[in-house]
Amino acid sequence: MRLAIASLPAKLLAQTMQLLLGCLGEGQSGLLESTPDRCGDEVEVSELLRATSRNNLHRRQVWEYLASKRPDASVEAARRAWRAVHLEQVRCGTWIEQDGKWTQKAC
């Protein structure tokens, strides 16, 4: 089932639009990163930073939770495993950083 973009809550819609506009990308660290050189002038920078910070906090919390469930796993190992799965699920055209270079996900 596909979710219509118009039916998303306002904050999620704003973040989704930032990703679609190329203003955010999936950084090699597993965090969302601002990609302002790929973004149009119509983007509200403060909202972009707010969405990025909030989402990255949630990602860090997920990695800590995953690591806490396996005594032998570090947060770093949880981050790497999470990122591998997450990148399979991101939309086509999303900017992804690999080995210090940004490319769009092909599908």
Side-chain angles (χ1 to χ4, degrees), residues 7-77:
S7 68
L8 293 173
K11 287 186 178 184
L12 185 56
L13 177 60
Q15 182 179 344
T16 301
M17 292 309 296
Q18 301 298 343
L19 283 166
L20 294 175
L21 291 170
C23 299
L24 295 176
E26 295 289 341
Q28 193 158 344
S29 65
L31 299 173
L32 280 177
E33 293 188 23
S34 174
T35 55
D37 54 327
R38 295 179 176 87
C39 220
D41 292 336
E42 70 279 357
V43 173
E44 180 64 42
V45 175
S46 63
E47 185 56 37
L48 177 65
L49 294 174
R50 189 175 7 263
T52 303
S53 296
R54 183 176 50 249
N55 191 289
N56 286 339
L57 171 65
H58 295 164
R59 289 179 181 206
R60 286 184 183 103
Q61 289 171 336
V62 167
W63 304 335
E64 289 173 10
Y65 173 78
L66 292 172
S68 75
K69 293 300 175 185
R70 298 190 67 187
D72 59 334
S74 66
V75 173
E76 176 62 19

